Amino acid sequence: MTEDMNNVEVTNFEVGDKVKAQVTKVEEKQVLVHVENSKLDGIIPISELSSLHVEKASDVVAEGDELELEVLKVEEEALILSKRKIDAGQAWENLVKRFESGEIFEAEVKDVVKGGLVVDLGVRGFVPASLVEAHFVEDFSDYKGKQLTFKIVELDRDKNRLILSHRAVVEAEKGKQKEELLESLQPGQVLDGTVQRITDFGAFVDIGGIDGLVHISQLSHEHVEKPSDVVEEGQQVKVKVLSIDRDNDRISLSIKETLPGPWADIAEKAPKGSTLEGTVRRLVSYGAFVEVFPGVEGLVHISQIAHKHIGTPHEVLKEGERVQVKVLDVNEQEQRLSLSIKDLQERDSYDAGDYELPEESKGFQLGEMIGDKLKNLKN
């Protein structure tokens, strides 16, 4: 074909025309194509292959590919063409529909850049770091090449602006799971959970997408000063559902009720006749309550505090004092423990009940003592 004939062919095209072409050669920075139904060749600069940055043209197209292109420039012997513009035009129409319907879709993360992620949807989509996850992510390098679900949160075709969010999808799923879980929960259920947050008044436990509160009084059978003394963030725990307030999304949980009670197997831990050490917790008019195991208090009746007679337990004991006690009786079912302090103490040597006359004095008569006195007077 002569140069004049080529010129005639070229003048048949205008900027903005849509053409179909086949890739004839892929070079590093451009692609050569043959335009269908003509004898013209076209050139696609590497910058016009994709809305994203392209290192090598061969990453996008290969020889023999059939492409739909838009004319950017008409030169004397060839057309300068764009694949990017065609892709973007088709993509924007689809993206507008997705945006208006709130559709959730899956796409591959093409690149990680400063401030977020880049996704190729025919046009460049940007995911700000704050919209990637519902939690803080320090390093996004592992996200490149990853398939994620997205929702379009901002779209402006005139400014070529497309903002996506994966976080919105995650939070919507969590909301749905939370609603379903709330509906399925029943008081009395025992569930596995993870301690999420500790406060002065208890711990919040995640039971599968929703947090419930374990009040400080429900953390342990023992008295708890600080929740952090008993549990830590990230700890796996079993919890029992106490109550559900669906209107306010509040769930009350208990760790204590999933643990063996302090009185469980008490007959084995404190058998009758055994000696234990405990702390005096309360003094009352009729005796003293001594804690021998966490959450287990036994009564030392006032008659079992000392061998001597006492008016009140306060005469002998004080709260917080450590004492040795002997188990007199144990009743696990009624959670009762009878204890004695005096049974472990020696009686005083002057106790009348223990005093005996010397062996040689046994049988000594009062009359004999009087007779001896009379004899002495006569003399």
Side-chain angles (χ1 to χ4, degrees):
M1 181 179 291
T2 66
E3 186 175 330
D4 289 342
M5 291 177 69
N6 272 345
N7 286 337
V8 171
E9 286 273 356
V10 168
T11 57
N12 290 334
F13 294 93
E14 292 181 356
V15 173
D17 283 352
K18 308 293 190 295
V19 299
K20 290 185 178 179
Q22 185 177 44
V23 176
T24 56
K25 188 176 182 181
V26 180
E27 297 179 352
E28 187 177 352
K29 297 299 180 184
Q30 65 180 16
V31 175
L32 303 182
V33 298
H34 177 70
V35 180
E36 283 187 8
N37 302 320
S38 78
K39 295 181 180 179
L40 284 174
D41 290 328
I43 299 170
I44 311 172
I46 193 170
S47 61
E48 292 298 325
L49 283 173
S50 171
S51 60
L52 303 181
H53 174 71
V54 178
E55 289 289 340
K56 295 184 298 180
S58 57
D59 291 339
V60 181
V61 295
E63 284 187 21
D65 284 354
E66 297 282 347
L67 304 176
E68 189 172 345
L69 307 166
E70 183 176 322
V71 178
L72 288 181
K73 199 174 185 182
V74 179
E75 295 192 340
E76 289 184 4
E77 295 185 4
L79 301 174
I80 307 301
L81 304 167
S82 173
K83 177 179 181 294
R84 178 181 65 82
K85 284 210 165 192
I86 292 293
D87 292 344
Q90 294 172 344
W92 278 116
E93 291 178 14
N94 186 39
L95 292 170
V96 168
K97 291 177 183 176
R98 285 179 166 178
F99 180 54
E100 290 174 346
S101 66
E103 180 187 340
I104 292 169
F105 53 90
E106 192 173 272
E108 181 185 344
V109 176
K110 289 293 185 181
D111 204 2
V112 176
V113 296
K114 185 179 180 181
L117 311 176
V118 174
V119 178
D120 183 11
L121 295 172
V123 295
R124 182 182 186 273
F126 182 61
V127 189
S130 61
L131 298 183
V132 176
E133 299 286 0
H135 57 272
F136 174 74
V137 178
E138 188 171 348
D139 183 8
F140 289 103
S141 56
D142 291 342
Y143 281 74
K144 188 172 182 178
K146 201 173 183 180
Q147 290 283 336
L148 292 177
T149 47
F150 296 103
K151 184 177 182 180
I152 300 171
V153 293
E154 190 178 336
L155 180 149
D156 189 329
R157 185 171 182 172
D158 293 336
K159 294 181 180 178
N160 204 37
R161 181 176 173 83
L162 178 66
I163 304 298
L164 309 174
S165 174
H166 175 61
R167 177 179 177 173
V169 178
V170 172
E171 290 179 340
E173 288 175 353
K174 280 188 175 180
K176 187 178 179 182
Q177 290 173 359
K178 181 177 177 180
E179 192 175 318
E180 290 174 353
L181 182 58
L182 269 173
E183 287 302 316
S184 67
L185 283 179
Q186 296 296 331
Q189 281 180 292
V190 175
L191 307 165
D192 291 318
T194 305
V195 177
Q196 292 290 347
R197 188 162 53 93
I198 296 173
T199 67
D200 291 339
F201 53 85
F204 287 93
V205 175
D206 178 7
I207 53 173
I210 187 170
D211 289 352
L213 174 64
V214 181
H215 189 265
I216 190 170
S217 63
Q218 293 295 326
L219 286 171
S220 172
H221 289 290
E222 304 173 36
H223 174 71
V224 178
E225 290 288 344
K226 294 186 299 181
S228 57
D229 292 339
V230 183
V231 291
E232 59 184 23
E233 290 183 6
Q235 183 179 342
Q236 301 294 307
V237 292
K238 282 199 177 294
V239 291
K240 183 178 181 180
V241 180
L242 299 181
S243 64
I244 307 119
D245 181 351
R246 292 185 173 87
D247 292 335
N248 296 300
D249 292 350
R250 290 179 184 169
I251 303 168
S252 295
L253 305 171
S254 173
I255 292 176
K256 178 173 79 173
E257 293 202 16
T258 68
L259 303 173
W263 288 87
D265 303 320
I266 192 65
E268 295 176 16
K269 294 187 287 187
K272 188 174 180 179
S274 63
T275 299
L276 304 170
E277 186 175 20
T279 304
V280 178
R281 292 298 183 197
R282 288 179 295 139
L283 295 176
V284 292
S285 60
Y286 53 87
F289 286 94
V290 176
E291 186 179 50
V292 291
F293 296 107
V296 176
E297 291 183 3
L299 173 66
V300 180
H301 190 267
I302 191 169
S303 63
Q304 292 295 328
I305 291 177
H307 289 291
K308 64 180 181 180
H309 174 76
I310 58 174
T312 70
H314 295 80
E315 294 176 24
V316 181
L317 300 171
K318 60 182 179 181
E319 291 181 359
E321 182 181 349
R322 299 287 290 176
V323 293
Q324 293 280 327
V325 292
K326 180 180 178 180
V327 178
L328 300 181
D329 190 38
V330 57
N331 189 321
E332 183 175 327
Q333 189 173 355
E334 295 181 12
Q335 296 187 355
R336 287 173 57 190
L337 200 59
S338 296
L339 307 172
S340 174
I341 293 175
K342 80 174 184 181
D343 277 11
L344 299 177
Q345 297 173 339
E346 292 185 7
R347 294 186 178 185
D348 293 334
S349 57
Y350 57 80
D351 191 317
D354 284 347
Y355 184 77
E356 289 188 359
L357 292 170
E359 187 67 33
E360 62 271 19
S361 300
K362 289 182 180 178
F364 192 78
Q365 299 296 319
L366 181 61
E368 295 178 38
M369 289 179 63
I370 295 172
D372 289 340
K373 293 282 187 184
L374 292 171
K375 287 179 183 178
N376 289 336
L377 288 171
K378 288 178 182 178
N379 294 331

